[in-house]
Amino acid sequence: MAATNALTRWVAGFIVLILADAGQLLVFYPDRTQELFAWHIQPDVTAMVLASAYAGGGYFFARILFGAPWDRVEAGFPPVILFVWMAAGATVLHLDRFIHENLAFAAWIGVYAATTVAVPLLYLYNRRRAPPSQHPKMLYSLRVALAIAGGLVVAVGAFMYITP
């Protein structure tokens, strides 16, 4: 089991810092997003929900940063890529809701512009150089159940994306 390469670990470390910063702002100051974040998030609990997604992403990338073997983190990349692409798409669709004069907005644009390309490239690079996994495959019935659950989550997310 080979650990993820150094470049992937460095990028993961940078992402952990970004997610930790954004997450702490949303958790500790949900009522101040208009001045501290890229857009005014209402109601306050929505900021905390977004922070929970950032916490999950932070945990995922922290595992990579600290050398988790590729075969243990590989499956997490497609959902992260989908999240990043959807967030970038939502940004474009709702650009009018952002606080353009805010430094946080510039950071938001920079991070999502970079990660929409960097994370998929890291995934492809690591996937090509990694040896095949030696772990047994998941039970077929469990894979089907997870695919159905995942499909439902994606369907609800798509509905919310289309009709915010």
Side-chain angles (χ1 to χ4, degrees):
M1 284 192 275
T4 50
N5 66 57
L7 173 64
T8 305
R9 292 172 68 187
W10 275 98
V11 171
F14 178 73
I15 292 172
V16 167
L17 290 174
I18 298 293
L19 293 173
D21 183 46
Q24 65 88 20
L25 286 174
L26 295 173
V27 168
F28 296 117
Y29 307 105
D31 58 332
R32 295 181 55 199
T33 56
Q34 191 163 8
E35 61 187 282
L36 298 174
F37 208 66
W39 76 93
H40 188 152
I41 302 175
Q42 291 178 311
D44 291 352
V45 71
T46 306
M48 293 183 208
V49 170
L50 182 55
S52 72
Y54 288 169
Y59 172 74
F60 173 73
F61 284 105
R63 289 187 63 215
I64 295 167
L65 172 63
F66 292 113
W70 174 250
D71 63 340
R72 296 290 185 175
V73 296
E74 176 183 13
F77 271 83
V80 168
I81 292 167
L82 180 61
F83 177 88
V84 167
W85 285 353
M86 296 297 283
T91 298
V92 171
L93 286 174
H94 303 291
L95 206 51
D96 60 317
R97 297 181 185 204
F98 285 83
I99 305 165
H100 296 254
E101 303 78 30
N102 190 325
L103 180 60
F105 172 69
W108 177 274
I109 294 295
V111 165
Y112 279 99
T115 56
T116 56
V117 176
V119 174
L121 287 176
L122 285 174
Y123 174 67
L124 292 173
Y125 174 75
N126 281 288
R127 188 163 183 193
R128 285 190 182 131
R129 66 182 286 280
S133 174
Q134 300 300 316
H135 299 289
K137 289 200 172 195
M138 193 181 303
L139 291 173
Y140 177 77
S141 57
L142 184 56
R143 287 190 310 217
V144 168
L146 288 172
I148 291 169
L152 290 171
V153 168
V154 168
V156 169
F159 175 76
M160 293 172 65
Y161 191 79
I162 293 166
T163 58

